[in-house]
Amino acid sequence: MMQTEKVLHLKSSRGGKVRVVREHYVREQVECGSWLCEAGCVSDGKLLSGDVTHYVVPDAGVVRDFLEVLEFRELQGIVFTQTACQAAHHARGRRHYNRLRALLKDPRHDCILFANEFQQYSYCPREKGETQEKWHTRCVYHAAVWYYNHLAGLRPVVMITEDEDAIKEYGSQNSGTFSNFLLEYLESFWPDLQAARELYASIAQALQERESEGAEKEYTEHLPAEVLEAGIKSGRYIQGTLSVNKHRAQHEAFVRFEGSSNKNTELNSDILISGGKHRNRAIHGDVVAVELLPHSEWKGRTTALTEGQGEERAGEDTQSQPMPTGRVVGIVQRNWRDYVVTFPPREELKSQSRNSQKILVIPWDYRIPKIRISTQQAEALQDHRVIVRVDSWDSTSLYPNGHTVRVLGKAGELEAEIQTILVENCIHVPPFSEAQLREMPVNSKEQPWQMGPAEVSSRRDLRDTHLVFSIDPLGCEDVDDTLSVCTLPGGKRLELGVHIADVTHFVKEGSLTDLEARSRATTYYLADRRYDMLPAVLSADLCSLLGGVDRYAMSVLWELDVETLALCNVWYGRTLIRSSYQLHYELAQSLLNGEEVEVPELSQLKSSDKSQKLAELLQALETLTRVARLLRAQRDKVGALELEGVEVRAQLDKDKNIAALVPKQPLEVHETVAECMIYANHWVARKIQESFPHQALLRHHPPPRQEFFNQLIDSAKSRGFMIDTRSNKALAESLDWAVDPQDALVNKLLRMMATQAMSNALYFSTGACPEEQYYHYGLALDRYTHFTSPIRRYADIIVHRLLMAAIQSEKDEYLHKTLASNKELDELAQHINNKNRAAQHAQKQSTELFQCLYFRDKDPLMDERCVADAIIYAIRANGMLVFLPRYGMKGAVYLKNRDSQVISVGDDGKCKWQVGTLQRYPDRISTFTAIGTHTFHLFDHVTVRISVEPSRCHADSMHLELISNKPHRAARAESHPAGHGQSELVQEVVRREEKASLQAEEQKARRPKLSREEREFRQSKTPNLYSLLQEISELALLDLSVYTNDSCQRSLLKC
Amino acid sequence: MAGLELLSDQGYRLDGRRAAELRKVQARMGVFAQADGSAYIEQGNTRALAVVYGPHEVRGSRSKTLHDRAVINCQYSMATFSTAERKRRPHGDRKSSEMSLHLKQTFEAAVLTQLYPRSQIDIYVKILQSDGGNYSACVNAATLALVDAGIPMRDYVCACTAGFVEDTPLADLCHAEESGGGTTLALALLPRSENIALVQMDARLHQDHLDALMEAAMMACKGLSKVLDSVVRQHLQEVSVLTRE
């Protein structure tokens, strides 16, 4: 048998002081995980690279407290010892440990785990009377020595510790193995890594502060985990996710309980947590355990609109029905992330910082409490946006403790604000690393990319047989879908084809690009830029199905009957295509309408050829339209919903609310293309679900809860429409009926409300859901997935792989790679869902940001553009919510101000503030003043004035003021086509920002130039380390004497 | 919600073993002179003592007598000092009676009882120290004791446990692993014929995984049988040296 030796471990587990004896086996062969190893260690995992000057071994204390510093990718050759990892696990809990594990698994980080305690010669038993810390440090040091000897002294090994005694003791015990403080280590080995040192300083200070803390209790203690678990099981406590009301962050929070584990049937709503004491240190997003309060203490939720931010009156006046109210007794799972905060200005600083350097900073997100950090840079950082991490929140402290991580920039600057939005949504998009780009195929002028002969022979060649074309928005770079349609020989059958870019050919599973794409999960579209999921060489070139070049594709081909269009046959597979035409929507529509337009691909040809080709193309387009109409009709019959605009149907995950509502010119060809894509998605979903019943990635849209439709039904009733929400078919039909002939916007708003009432469509793994839940409510399809946009969605890449595996397994059974298991796939689906949600939020927030920037410099009283028409879509206790069609904005209008004055309307329609009262009805709101009574109904048009309410710590917000109860009819509004409002707005802000940066360029050295380059590469000007170092090195090359260290400092601060 | 990581990412278990490795086994036969057969076994930190009396006349009520084969009587007990917290009742509680019954069933399948009609064989097992896998330690100890007593059997009975953690079957669980919340399967095997004497599993397991788990448990039992065999041979050698003198 194997050579094992037994060593005894003494352990006393808590609660009863039991002596537990555990076995411990050690062995000689423990893989070291280094590339340099000559001893023949077998290792299948990742290896430490050999091209580093030394290896570094952090001790237990460093891993426990300073893991974040070690997370810098620039630090290479880190050997985590098992001792340190387990000590960290023990001291900081599972979350910390999982983070460490993720780090170890990530192939982009050069670090490995060495199981030192299982190595016969590096293991050292604890001596009598030795403290645990000392023992850990000794273990780690022994491991470091062993590691050095194991590699035959090829690389020196440095142990980093925060323990002074250890350095004294081990400092010069062995040659080749050194020990050092973390800070000294960073300074001497990584002098360029300023950010790491700053992070170190901030963590160290936070630690110090925590030690010297008082002991007044502000909150009740949390219950221990065992008690919570038992309580949740018995139904005494309720487990759920805490979500804080954004508008009354200090007073109201709700707990949404999960699953059906709850036996309390009387609870069918969320649980209200009122006030900070009851919330008991839980932060938005945490999973908490809640105990219900007695019925007598239940409260209602507030229905009034809050005026402005910051002033939250705990007014008892306007509360709804009492609802279940509870208090947090314990926290099951902390879900802290990085928060963006703003440092207070100097005046506030002075009053705050009488004692020590503790500063209360205000998070950007309203829902997060103020965070106490200790730093010496407060002066320099005032009015900056800074990333902060929360360390702890003791019951003795009113606010959580945290430390600073990175500075984003000055509040109010476009870049800083965009970065803020990204961080707040947990979106991490560094530029693609060199290692990733090295994986990419090359396609340059000198070295054009060519198809491999093996690929050519194994794929079905459609280049000469099929007329393939793409229809996309104008100026689109990443063409991931093309179409073809033709009549098969014999004339009885029609062949419809959808050809999708074959991304999986270039992105191999497990490659660095794949991992990066997986962690991004989607391409992020912000108002003025986008962050690609795949490097540009793929997304805009090799994968993109551009016109006139040979490309790989994944195709779905249907054979349809010419007359009835009934389905006869489906074929899936890899193909070669050459797109003949790269059309855009407007062009395609004009062709269909029979207008005389120039097709760019045909402009070179002679007129005879040209007309023939044009006829061919036209024929194809017309057939396509006919097919799409029929497909659409089929789906309509079973209840597909038309929810405001193409976006909602085709890509529910993107800009659902605002952009979709901008009245754009809906072309039939939009629908045609979307319909073909839905068809392809549907058939691929069927295929992979059949082949892999337990591990296919599909997308479902759960039916909405009926009570969410109440607002829609009530609103519609006020205009005399009946909305039937019992099924998707009934809803679709009744929405079609609810059209006001005078006002097309009414129908739009109703559809918008219907959309809001629905839950989001989600990805899932088929093994994780019963079959009846596969249904897609919005599209009325029993199976659906995403297949058609692999360039910008990671889910499509997975589906492509699944489809390929399905095809392969049909051909030959044994050629079957192991697929992701149901569990893994389900986790991945959750991850993609989360990222999609984040992308959606980021996009919405960036749009709002641009709106605010647009209106910021306009004088609301003078500028005509600040006055706009608005339509009322909801009534609240002290005001109403309105929608501004011109800017695609939603907002609140107050009818009552702080001095309890209300709006009164004069004879000419002008509004004034007057003393009076307010009366609210379900479908209208009335003001009573000395002048008279005025009533605002739902769906009335009013005129509002837009101004920006600046906010230092949070995002600026829009303020709407009622100026007239008549619809606004500006002379210009007609002439300038609505719908461009949004993009025009973005352009103007970008223009202005660029102008400002140009001016800055004249004053300061070369910075903006770099950023322009970056914009060219479609990457952000993230103040990342790479660009910083790059910049510094460039500066150094230019003139050493001029650009001294000083300028580096300045540019560092600037970021 | 167990906080322990039963199988690390590198494939090590809590005590440093890999998934398929057994704990260290040490055994001795013939520890007591008075009894007909006796054996002592250590599987890691689990220690068990087995004593065999018989075959002899059926004691107590005659009604239990079987006319075609021998009755096997098993008694399982745990020493009061065998666990971390002192046990009140060394035997006779529900768990012990169940274990006794299991042992009886196991050995009825293995001992050639038809050779001794109207007689009785007593097997007494005591756990001296418990660290997971009590049943298997008992079976293995009793096997050695039966061999020591010279009672004919079809084959060694080797028992071992196996568990299932993160899609990997683990062989020979220790106490921490057993209480870690996974599935545990106990298997008693006649290794040469691969006949199963007893298999027991209380927790839920997906049927797809059962084969893998059984396979792991079988491998572990076969490994154990080699160890037991070498113990018996060594004992035989020692005894024969003594008798020759």
Side-chain angles (χ1 to χ4, degrees):
Chain A
M1 302 270 320
M2 60 240 24
Q3 185 203 13
T4 53
E5 196 167 309
K6 196 166 67 179
V7 182
L8 294 187
H9 250 6
L10 299 180
K11 274 211 176 180
S12 68
S13 70
R14 200 117 339 126
K17 290 279 175 201
V18 194
R19 211 184 78 140
V20 179
V21 181
R22 281 212 190 134
E23 285 173 282
H24 192 93
Y25 292 91
V26 295
R27 61 184 77 218
E28 266 186 63
Q29 288 287 328
V30 173
E31 62 267 43
C32 62
S34 169
W35 194 80
L36 292 172
C37 176
E38 288 167 354
C41 288
V42 199
S43 179
D44 44 355
K46 86 183 193 189
L47 290 177
L48 271 191
S49 70
D51 53 353
V52 289
T53 54
H54 63 281
Y55 285 133
V56 55
V57 183
D59 88 334
V62 173
V63 175
R64 187 183 64 217
D65 296 331
F66 299 101
L67 181 63
E68 284 168 41
V69 177
L70 302 175
E71 275 174 359
F72 276 92
R73 270 185 218 175
E74 284 77 6
L75 295 183
Q76 286 180 325
I78 305 177
V79 180
F80 286 101
T81 54
Q82 182 193 11
T83 314
C85 292
Q86 271 168 5
H89 184 188
H90 196 72
R92 293 282 301 266
R94 170 165 316 173
R95 214 174 135 74
H96 191 75
Y97 182 64
N98 282 346
R99 201 162 158 176
L100 180 58
R101 269 176 65 180
L103 192 69
L104 286 165
K105 275 187 194 153
D106 195 336
R108 292 170 289 183
H109 288 274
D110 192 27
C111 60
I112 51 117
L113 178 72
F114 170 53
N116 63 316
E117 295 195 5
F118 298 146
Q119 215 296 328
Q120 198 171 344
Y121 305 113
S122 71
Y123 172 68
C124 34
R126 188 168 172 180
E127 281 161 10
K128 270 232 164 87
E130 191 178 27
T131 64
Q132 197 163 10
E133 285 77 28
K134 283 261 180 293
W135 175 49
H136 283 156
T137 314
R138 192 160 61 88
C139 282
V140 172
Y141 183 72
H142 269 94
V145 172
W146 180 87
Y147 210 84
Y148 175 73
N149 294 331
H150 178 76
L151 295 181
L154 285 175
R155 292 285 179 279
V157 176
V158 183
M159 174 174 86
I160 45 177
T161 177
E162 289 297 295
D163 187 357
E164 282 174 39
D165 301 339
I167 289 188
K168 262 183 229 153
E169 193 180 339
Y170 304 123
S172 51
Q173 214 178 54
N174 279 293
S175 65
T177 315
F178 309 95
S179 57
N180 215 336
F181 288 112
L182 177 57
L183 186 60
E184 282 175 20
Y185 169 77
L186 287 174
E187 275 167 359
S188 48
F189 287 93
W190 305 97
D192 296 343
L193 213 54
Q194 174 83 15
R197 251 173 297 158
E198 277 170 10
L199 184 58
Y200 170 85
S202 119
I203 300 174
Q205 198 148 28
L207 279 175
Q208 219 171 22
E209 291 292 336
R210 209 178 312 149
E211 279 167 15
S212 60
E213 206 138 79
E216 278 169 76
K217 283 254 162 91
E218 299 281 352
Y219 297 100
T220 45
E221 287 292 345
H222 289 151
L223 297 174
E226 307 91 69
V227 180
L228 284 184
E229 206 179 328
I232 290 165
K233 270 195 186 136
S234 68
R236 186 165 171 219
Y237 305 134
I238 297 155
Q239 179 176 337
T241 312
L242 185 88
S243 71
V244 175
N245 184 344
K246 193 172 160 188
H247 302 289
R248 328 192 124 249
Q250 294 189 9
H251 300 295
E252 272 188 10
F254 299 94
V255 170
R256 205 147 290 158
F257 50 74
E258 300 151 343
S260 54
S261 62
N262 186 16
K263 286 156 201 134
N264 259 334
T265 42
E266 55 171 327
L267 284 172
N268 47 11
S269 69
D270 299 342
I271 300 161
L272 175 72
I273 310 287
S274 169
K277 285 273 183 259
H278 283 162
R279 203 183 299 168
N280 199 357
R281 293 173 278 155
I283 295 182
H284 177 79
D286 290 349
V287 179
V288 296
V290 179
E291 182 181 43
L292 282 183
L293 293 173
H295 278 259
S296 55
E297 292 177 37
W298 284 15
K299 289 179 183 164
R301 70 166 77 199
T302 319
T303 52
L305 295 166
T306 45
E307 289 194 41
Q309 66 266 29
E311 42 171 337
E312 296 169 346
R313 300 159 301 167
E316 306 292 316
D317 43 2
T318 45
Q319 282 194 346
S320 64
Q321 287 285 314
M323 59 186 293
T325 308
R327 67 184 185 88
V328 174
V329 289
I331 290 177
V332 182
Q333 166 89 65
R334 286 282 192 198
N335 278 328
W336 291 341
R337 54 177 174 88
D338 291 359
Y339 300 108
V340 176
V341 301
T342 313
F343 275 70
R346 188 173 291 129
E347 313 82 71
E348 274 181 53
L349 267 181
K350 278 192 182 131
S351 64
Q352 267 186 26
S353 56
R354 277 188 308 267
N355 48 350
S356 81
Q357 290 112 358
K358 282 184 203 165
I359 293 158
L360 277 181
V361 290
I362 304 161
W364 188 81
D365 192 341
Y366 286 104
R367 297 170 297 196
I368 309 300
K370 287 181 188 170
I371 298 169
R372 177 159 17 131
I373 58 172
S374 42
T375 175
Q376 273 143 355
Q377 292 177 293
E379 289 275 316
L381 289 180
Q382 54 174 317
D383 287 327
H384 277 67
R385 300 260 196 246
V386 179
I387 301 181
V388 157
R389 271 178 210 149
V390 177
D391 296 322
S392 65
W393 195 348
D394 298 328
S395 59
T396 52
S397 128
L398 201 53
Y399 295 104
N401 292 317
H403 64 266
T404 59
V405 178
R406 193 154 62 90
V407 183
L408 292 178
K410 215 163 166 53
E413 279 173 4
L414 181 63
E415 277 312 314
E417 297 296 327
I418 296 263
Q419 287 305 315
T420 303
I421 290 172
L422 291 181
V423 171
E424 278 293 312
N425 288 299
C426 296
I427 297 173
H428 190 59
V429 278
F432 293 101
S433 73
E434 270 189 49
Q436 280 158 9
L437 293 177
R438 236 179 283 140
E439 284 182 355
M440 295 293 103
V442 184
N443 189 21
S444 57
K445 279 233 175 69
E446 303 86 57
Q447 230 183 320
W449 173 80
Q450 279 178 335
M451 294 197 287
E455 286 294 325
V456 172
S457 59
S458 66
R459 286 163 184 266
R460 182 165 161 185
D461 196 339
L462 304 180
R463 280 177 293 181
D464 303 324
T465 51
H466 286 64
L467 172 73
V468 178
F469 55 91
S470 63
I471 308 176
D472 277 291
L474 189 59
C476 181
E477 285 178 347
D478 45 349
V479 184
D480 30 27
D481 46 73
T482 55
L483 296 159
S484 72
V485 66
C486 60
T487 315
L488 289 179
K492 284 254 173 82
R493 287 190 177 179
L494 203 66
E495 193 185 55
L496 173 67
V498 169
H499 314 280
I500 306 299
D502 191 2
V503 175
T504 48
H505 171 76
F506 296 100
V507 182
K508 294 278 177 280
E509 192 161 8
S511 64
L512 291 176
T513 319
D514 183 49
L515 292 169
E516 183 66 37
R518 180 183 297 211
S519 67
R520 292 189 187 198
T522 171
T523 293
Y524 298 97
Y525 294 86
L526 299 188
D528 65 327
R529 66 188 74 183
R530 69 167 202 263
Y531 293 95
D532 285 330
M533 184 178 80
L534 296 171
V537 62
L538 290 186
S539 62
D541 193 359
L542 290 181
C543 282
S544 184
L545 304 172
L546 304 169
V549 283
D550 292 349
R551 288 288 180 256
Y552 296 142
M554 287 281 270
S555 299
V556 186
L557 294 168
W558 298 273
E559 283 179 25
L560 307 171
D561 192 277
V562 167
E563 295 301 317
T564 60
L565 298 180
L567 185 79
C568 305
N569 199 5
V570 198
W571 182 87
Y572 307 90
R574 289 191 141 146
T575 51
L576 288 176
I577 60 159
R578 181 188 292 148
S579 171
S580 313
Y581 304 98
Q582 204 178 341
L583 306 175
H584 53 91
Y585 286 115
E586 289 74 16
L587 183 67
Q589 188 65 43
S590 330
L591 280 172
L592 277 171
N593 295 348
E595 289 164 28
E596 282 292 317
V597 279
E598 187 75 1
V599 181
E601 280 87 350
L602 295 179
S603 55
Q604 310 292 328
L605 293 173
K606 276 182 280 174
S607 60
S608 59
D609 282 358
K610 194 170 172 178
S611 58
Q612 192 207 338
K613 294 244 171 177
L614 202 62
E616 250 175 42
L617 176 62
L618 205 57
Q619 165 79 28
L621 281 175
E622 272 164 4
T623 324
L624 201 62
T625 315
R626 191 165 70 91
V627 174
R629 270 185 206 148
L630 183 99
L631 293 176
R632 172 75 198 171
Q634 277 172 354
R635 278 199 307 115
D636 276 344
K637 226 181 287 167
V638 288
L641 289 172
E642 166 118 37
L643 295 169
E644 202 32 52
V646 182
E647 276 82 351
V648 181
R649 239 178 336 99
Q651 8 175 285
L652 208 77
D653 46 356
K654 288 227 320 289
D655 58 82
K656 187 154 89 173
N657 36 20
I658 300 182
L661 271 161
V662 174
K664 71 163 96 170
Q665 216 56 42
L667 301 172
E668 196 190 2
V669 67
H670 278 127
E671 268 199 21
T672 306
V673 173
E675 204 56 49
C676 293
M677 295 308 140
I678 292 170
Y679 201 51
N681 285 337
H682 173 57
W683 276 96
V684 169
R686 285 173 72 149
K687 174 78 181 172
I688 57 174
Q689 196 261 333
E690 267 165 32
S691 303
F692 307 107
H694 298 301
Q695 50 205 45
L697 185 79
L698 297 191
R699 187 172 171 84
H700 67 166
H701 186 199
R705 301 228 303 247
Q706 285 301 319
E707 57 263 32
F708 291 156
F709 279 127
N710 289 345
Q711 198 208 347
L712 170 70
I713 294 173
D714 292 345
S715 308
K717 214 182 272 167
S718 74
R719 274 287 160 118
F721 302 125
M722 287 301 292
I723 301 284
D724 186 351
T725 58
R726 274 170 305 184
S727 73
N728 47 1
K729 188 165 195 272
L731 180 62
E733 276 167 8
S734 51
L735 277 177
D736 285 343
W737 279 106
V739 176
D740 189 336
Q742 262 105 56
D743 193 352
L745 277 175
V746 171
N747 187 260
K748 283 219 154 63
L749 278 171
L750 287 176
R751 284 183 195 276
M752 184 182 82
M753 284 182 209
T755 315
Q756 268 182 345
M758 285 182 206
S759 36
N760 284 333
L762 294 169
Y763 297 108
F764 69 103
S765 162
T766 45
C769 237
E771 199 157 335
E772 58 269 20
Q773 285 180 20
Y774 293 178
Y775 189 65
H776 197 290
Y777 179 85
L779 295 174
L781 289 172
D782 55 347
R783 311 260 186 285
Y784 191 67
T785 191
H786 269 163
F787 167 72
T788 50
S789 299
I791 296 180
R792 57 186 177 84
R793 290 189 302 230
Y794 191 73
D796 301 51
I797 294 185
I798 301 170
V799 170
H800 276 226
R801 287 188 187 132
L802 283 168
L803 181 62
M804 272 325 290
I807 296 169
Q808 265 173 13
S809 71
E810 263 171 26
K811 279 188 196 147
D812 29 21
E813 293 287 327
Y814 59 90
L815 228 163
H816 206 291
K817 259 195 306 180
T818 46
L819 290 164
S821 70
N822 172 37
K823 202 173 134 213
E824 287 162 353
L825 195 62
D826 198 45
E827 276 167 15
L828 192 58
Q830 292 306 331
H831 165 76
I832 297 175
N833 286 334
N834 289 340
K835 285 290 170 186
N836 275 337
R837 209 170 297 132
Q840 234 174 73
H841 286 161
Q843 186 175 32
K844 185 169 162 234
Q845 283 165 356
S846 75
T847 314
E848 283 165 5
L849 168 69
F850 273 88
Q851 280 168 351
C852 290
L853 289 175
Y854 177 74
F855 287 111
R856 190 169 61 183
D857 297 341
K858 304 221 177 344
D859 181 3
L861 293 176
M862 304 302 290
D863 202 314
E864 180 264 334
R865 279 172 290 185
C866 289
V867 177
D869 183 42
I871 179 165
I872 303 169
Y873 74 91
I875 302 286
R876 291 282 181 271
N878 59 350
M880 53 215 185
L881 303 179
V882 297
F883 172 69
L884 278 67
R886 183 172 161 196
Y887 297 111
M889 270 170 32
K890 285 190 256 180
V893 170
Y894 300 98
L895 295 177
K896 191 175 188 178
N897 66 7
R898 279 158 230 167
D899 316 323
S900 54
Q901 287 179 321
V902 298
I903 288 275
S904 72
V905 181
D907 296 331
D908 54 346
K910 291 270 175 279
C911 297
K912 268 184 286 186
W913 291 105
Q914 289 260 315
V915 181
T917 55
L918 208 58
Q919 182 75 44
R920 178 196 174 197
Y921 305 98
D923 62 335
R924 60 188 195 278
I925 187 163
S926 301
T927 57
F928 301 97
T929 53
I931 297 177
T933 307
H934 187 79
T935 311
F936 297 93
H937 289 274
L938 269 181
F939 300 116
D940 275 357
H941 281 264
V942 292
T943 305
V944 293
R945 174 177 294 135
I946 308 161
S947 56
V948 172
E949 206 151 290
S951 162
R952 207 170 40 75
C953 304
H954 307 285
D956 292 350
S957 55
M958 309 296 284
H959 182 74
L960 302 179
E961 194 186 354
L962 197 65
I963 53 173
S964 165
N965 69 339
K966 304 262 164 39
H968 177 67
R969 294 268 175 259
R972 254 188 88 222
E974 255 73 40
S975 65
H976 111 105
H980 289 214
Q982 193 88 35
S983 55
E984 193 179 76
L985 188 152
V986 170
Q987 277 164 13
E988 184 176 333
V989 176
V990 170
R991 232 184 354 255
R992 216 161 53 199
E993 198 67 25
E994 272 177 358
K995 209 192 268 172
S997 70
L998 271 176
Q999 282 165 0
E1001 186 180 27
E1002 283 159 22
Q1003 289 162 4
K1004 295 200 176 148
R1006 320 171 22 86
R1007 241 199 88 70
K1009 200 166 174 194
L1010 233 166
S1011 66
R1012 181 107 32 76
E1013 275 166 27
E1014 273 168 328
R1015 180 162 300 167
E1016 234 175 67
F1017 295 119
R1018 292 282 171 183
Q1019 287 293 340
S1020 74
K1021 14 187 215 175
T1022 329
N1024 55 39
L1025 255 144
Y1026 175 75
S1027 60
L1028 262 181
L1029 295 174
Q1030 194 70 23
E1031 189 183 336
I1032 291 169
S1033 64
E1034 264 180 38
L1035 287 176
L1037 281 176
L1038 273 177
D1039 190 352
L1040 279 168
S1041 61
V1042 177
Y1043 298 97
T1044 49
N1045 198 26
D1046 191 5
S1047 79
C1048 301
Q1049 286 289 351
R1050 204 176 57 216
S1051 61
L1052 275 168
L1053 275 178
K1054 258 197 69 185
C1055 312
Chain B
M1 293 296 265
L4 290 170
E5 188 185 41
L6 294 181
L7 187 67
S8 79
D9 293 332
Q10 292 189 312
Y12 289 108
R13 287 155 69 174
L14 286 174
D15 50 10
R17 285 182 289 156
R18 292 196 176 273
E21 287 174 352
L22 302 179
R23 293 180 285 182
K24 183 161 185 154
V25 182
Q26 283 178 314
R28 214 141 51 88
M29 290 167 70
V31 275
F32 302 121
Q34 302 278 12
D36 292 322
S38 59
Y40 167 79
I41 194 165
E42 285 182 11
Q43 279 184 270
N45 276 335
T46 302
R47 282 141 209 228
L49 199 57
V51 178
V52 170
Y53 291 97
H56 55 74
E57 229 172 276
V58 178
R59 296 203 184 112
S61 66
R62 284 286 158 92
S63 57
K64 275 197 250 164
T65 320
L66 296 175
H67 297 279
D68 54 344
R69 58 194 162 96
V71 178
I72 290 186
N73 173 38
C74 285
Q75 200 177 45
Y76 164 89
S77 63
M78 285 175 85
T80 49
F81 48 81
S82 62
T83 48
E85 274 168 332
R86 193 179 158 80
K87 266 189 117 62
R88 288 278 156 73
R89 228 176 133 180
H91 61 90
D93 56 346
R94 285 180 77 102
K95 254 188 180 167
S96 304
S97 343
E98 193 193 351
M99 195 69 99
S100 303
L101 199 68
H102 284 163
L103 287 172
K104 187 178 165 185
Q105 285 168 350
T106 313
F107 285 101
E108 274 174 354
V111 176
L112 297 169
T113 47
Q114 66 274 23
L115 296 180
Y116 306 103
R118 296 165 197 275
S119 49
Q120 178 180 353
I121 300 168
D122 292 321
I123 303 173
Y124 299 104
V125 243
K126 195 168 187 92
I127 293 287
L128 299 178
Q129 186 170 314
S130 156
D131 187 27
N134 290 353
Y135 168 76
S136 37
C138 288
V139 171
N140 298 332
T143 304
L144 291 179
L146 283 168
V147 172
D148 188 37
I151 294 171
M153 291 199 289
R154 292 189 172 82
D155 191 359
Y156 291 102
V157 198
C158 298
C160 197
T161 53
F164 204 71
V165 169
E166 288 168 21
D167 291 355
T168 323
L170 305 183
D172 199 10
L173 305 184
C174 69
H175 178 68
E177 288 168 335
E178 264 184 356
S179 52
T183 306
T184 307
L185 176 135
L187 175 77
L189 188 77
L190 305 178
R192 250 171 294 181
S193 57
E194 293 202 359
N195 282 337
I196 291 171
L198 184 124
V199 62
Q200 183 212 6
M201 183 170 71
D202 296 334
R204 289 161 63 109
L205 181 78
H206 195 279
Q207 63 174 16
D208 292 358
H209 303 319
L210 184 65
D211 285 337
L213 190 59
M214 286 292 283
E215 184 63 28
M218 293 244 228
M219 285 303 295
C221 288
K222 283 180 192 162
L224 254 166
S225 84
K226 277 186 206 149
V227 181
L228 296 191
D229 194 55
S230 68
V231 169
V232 171
R233 280 174 201 282
Q234 201 190 344
H235 178 71
L236 214 64
Q237 226 160 23
E238 283 166 13
V239 173
S240 55
V241 166
L242 284 177
T243 44
R244 212 180 296 156
E245 282 174 4

